[in-house]
Amino acid sequence: MSSRPSRRVGDVSVLVLVVLAGSIGSYAFAQEGELMSQVARGSFTVEMKPQGNASSLEGVDLGRMSLAKEFTGDLVGTSEGQMLTAMTPVQGSAGYVAIERVTGTLHGKSGSFVLQHSGTMHAGDQRLSITIVPASGTGDLAGIAGVLELEIVDGQHDYQLEYTLPR
């Protein structure tokens, strides 16, 4: 014989309601936690200013620059950041890293996020990675993740930002 107290039909109904309520809550949470994937396109202008004197050793110059950008298109806003550079004596070979904070409106959502850059160039062959820093989004852009690609043609800077946001 069981030591459990006997259950009445009313108790079962309450248990079913609790389970259903928990399931509905989990369902709502899953809906809110889903990611919304989008692509933003546009262009930007950039202003770079040297910060201090470059350090040079055997023809390789290490420098620091400030960045200021103005974005138009699906992303409307500005950014500010810092860039570290390594310029080699070989034409077309260099490297840089940068961090910039972008503030503005992305597809109608306001806030900010941080981009991390890493780029190298060797004999004109470029490799560039620009990624949104995890957990750097603020405001409506909290939880943003993604990558930015850019194309520079005749001095025109165009971007494509593939990103996700929690719904």
Side-chain angles (χ1 to χ4, degrees):
M1 190 161 282
S2 171
S3 62
R4 288 190 201 165
S6 63
R7 298 191 188 264
R8 298 177 305 185
V9 172
D11 293 337
V12 172
S13 298
V14 170
L15 178 63
V16 169
L17 286 175
V18 169
V19 169
L20 285 174
S23 296
I24 292 169
S26 296
Y27 179 74
F29 179 76
Q31 292 284 61
E32 288 177 17
E34 288 179 6
L35 296 178
M36 179 177 60
S37 185
Q38 292 195 49
V39 176
R41 292 179 178 86
S43 61
F44 64 90
T45 58
V46 61
E47 182 180 348
M48 297 187 293
K49 293 181 182 175
Q51 303 293 297
N53 295 323
S55 166
S56 186
L57 178 65
E58 298 181 18
V60 177
D61 297 331
L62 302 181
R64 192 177 100 209
M65 313 270 285
S66 68
L67 299 171
K69 294 180 182 174
E70 188 167 328
F71 292 88
T72 59
D74 296 329
L75 169 62
V76 177
T78 60
S79 76
E80 62 179 11
Q82 294 287 313
M83 174 191 289
L84 298 175
T85 61
M87 305 300 290
T88 73
V90 176
Q91 181 69 26
S93 294
Y96 88 97
V97 294
I99 295 285
E100 70 177 302
R101 177 179 292 115
V102 178
T103 304
T105 304
L106 176 61
H107 283 136
K109 297 183 181 286
S110 297
S112 67
F113 56 90
V114 176
L115 292 172
Q116 178 177 312
H117 301 237
S118 177
T120 58
M121 185 169 63
H122 180 63
D125 179 35
Q126 298 181 22
R127 296 181 190 257
L128 180 60
S129 170
I130 306 173
T131 306
I132 296 175
V133 173
S136 68
T138 67
D140 295 335
L141 302 177
I144 191 170
V147 295
L148 185 136
E149 295 179 11
L150 64 87
E151 182 177 54
I152 305 169
V153 177
D154 296 329
Q156 171 77 29
H157 293 75
D158 294 319
Y159 68 84
Q160 177 173 301
L161 177 62
E162 295 181 28
Y163 69 96
T164 58
L165 270 174
R167 288 185 191 244

